[in-house]
Amino acid sequence: MEIAFLLFIIAAIFIIRAVKVVPQQTAWVVERLGKYQATLAPGLNVLVPFVDKVAYKHSLKEIPLDVPEQVCITRDNTQLKVDGILYFQVTDPMRASYGSSNYIIAITQLAQTSLRSVIGRLELDKTFEEREMINAQVVSAIDEAALNWGVKVLRYEIKDLTPPAEILRSMQAQITAEREKRALIAASEGRRQEQINIATGEREAFIARSEGEKQAEINKAQGEAEAIKAVADATAQAIERVAMAIRQPGGEQAVQLKVAEKAVDAYGRLATDATTTLVVPSNMTEVSALISSAMKMITASKPN
């Protein structure tokens, strides 16, 4: 019974040492008698008990690494505190195990030195404008060296850039002055545009008034011309009708009667006007002679 229990314990130990279950997104490095043997993939794996051992365990997930804050000196000799975060991933578990004694410390130190080198080539104002360029250059510098460590650097992000207090005050003053300048420029541009709009409006109004006056004069002239034409047409029609009436039978007698009436009426008006001196012809036959002369003229004007 004791022997069976002992055999059971030994068998359990062998099973525990031989059977390994590797989680997803994880890689285990196995050594056989102190030498690299294999990298276990996720799932069930079998080892040789007491000969093989799991020496290193690596996560294949993306890992964020906080890079400690450091003081960098810009090209214009300004101290700048920089704080960033680095994202990397283990791509070669064997190199990550044997390429560096501690690849996390190596990556952190390399990120700091690369960042100091990049910022040292820039002026203070450019460091705030060129964050993307700084991030890209730091990633490029780290990634080149990290290949030997089995690590892939995915990206680097600057979390904070903090210049000294006196620099902050001067930058704030500069920003305030720039904003005031832009406000003054905007106000002057507004006044300029207002003057332009007023001048444009007055010019368009003047043009519109002149066009209206011109059109009114044209319409007035056209109206007067139409009125004159209408009067002339009416006069011509009246004369034509009178001429036609004269050519009708009894027309001449009617004209003689009308002329006589006009003459008598004219003598009557002159007689009633107190301020007019009336000279009566000595021979009334002169009146009939006048009427005969008028009728001769009418007869002579008739078409043959």
Side-chain angles (χ1 to χ4, degrees):
M1 185 68 179
E2 294 179 356
I3 296 174
F5 182 72
L6 182 60
L7 292 175
F8 176 76
I9 292 175
I10 293 172
I13 293 173
F14 267 82
I15 292 173
I16 292 172
R17 298 293 298 269
V19 178
K20 301 294 181 183
V21 178
V22 180
Q24 184 66 32
Q25 284 296 93
T26 304
W28 291 3
V29 176
V30 176
E31 291 181 351
R32 176 170 295 176
L33 301 177
K35 183 181 179 182
Y36 171 77
Q37 175 61 26
T39 300
L40 301 183
L44 183 64
N45 295 271
V46 179
L47 303 180
V48 178
F50 304 104
V51 176
D52 295 340
K53 72 171 184 177
V54 177
Y56 301 96
K57 295 180 180 180
H58 299 285
S59 174
L60 302 182
K61 300 177 182 178
E62 183 176 337
I63 301 173
L65 177 62
D66 186 33
V67 179
E69 184 181 76
Q70 61 176 332
V71 177
C72 302
I73 299 177
T74 61
R75 184 178 179 181
D76 49 359
N77 296 322
T78 302
Q79 292 185 351
L80 189 66
K81 291 182 180 180
V82 185
D83 187 14
I85 185 169
L86 184 70
Y87 297 87
F88 71 94
Q89 187 177 25
V90 175
T91 56
D92 189 339
M94 186 189 74
R95 288 180 178 272
S97 301
Y98 304 106
S100 174
S101 59
N102 192 326
Y103 59 83
I104 293 180
I105 295 178
I107 291 174
T108 302
Q109 295 297 320
L110 187 56
Q112 290 182 317
T113 56
S114 300
L115 183 62
R116 285 196 296 267
S117 176
V118 173
I119 291 182
R121 296 193 294 267
L122 298 175
E123 296 181 353
L124 178 62
D125 293 339
K126 289 294 183 180
T127 57
F128 295 96
E129 301 173 2
E130 302 291 342
R131 285 199 177 196
E132 292 185 3
M133 183 272 292
I134 295 172
N135 295 337
Q137 291 195 9
V138 171
V139 169
S140 177
I142 300 174
D143 197 37
E144 184 177 354
L147 290 176
N148 295 327
W149 305 333
V151 175
K152 173 66 176 177
V153 178
L154 302 176
R155 59 189 179 277
Y156 176 82
E157 296 292 339
I158 295 177
K159 293 194 297 184
D160 194 15
L161 291 171
T162 308
E166 58 273 12
I167 298 297
L168 281 176
R169 286 193 294 269
S170 63
M171 290 175 64
Q172 186 64 39
Q174 182 180 0
I175 292 173
T176 302
E178 185 66 25
R179 288 178 179 173
E180 291 177 354
K181 174 185 174 182
R182 278 185 280 180
L184 291 174
I185 293 174
S188 64
E189 286 292 334
R191 289 192 296 270
R192 173 175 172 271
Q193 190 61 42
E194 179 184 4
Q195 296 297 325
I196 291 174
N197 293 340
I198 292 174
T200 302
E202 292 178 351
R203 180 172 62 85
E204 292 179 355
F206 178 77
I207 293 173
R209 285 195 299 269
S210 64
E211 288 292 334
E213 294 173 356
K214 174 184 175 182
Q215 190 62 41
E217 292 295 332
I218 292 174
N219 294 340
K220 181 179 178 181
Q222 290 178 348
E224 292 176 352
E226 292 293 333
I228 293 172
K229 182 179 178 181
V231 171
D233 291 342
T235 303
Q237 291 179 2
I239 293 173
E240 183 180 357
R241 290 182 180 180
V242 170
M244 291 177 62
I246 291 173
R247 288 195 294 270
Q248 298 294 327
E252 293 184 2
Q253 291 80 4
V255 171
Q256 292 177 2
L257 178 61
K258 191 67 176 177
V259 172
E261 289 178 353
K262 291 291 184 180
V264 172
D265 183 64
Y267 277 113
R269 284 198 304 273
L270 291 174
T272 57
D273 191 353
T275 61
T276 304
T277 301
L278 178 64
V279 178
V280 179
S282 59
N283 188 1
M284 293 302 294
T285 59
E286 293 180 359
V287 176
S288 61
L290 179 63
I291 295 173
S292 285
S293 298
M295 291 305 301
K296 288 179 181 181
M297 292 177 64
I298 294 172
T299 305
S301 63
K302 287 183 181 180
N304 294 327

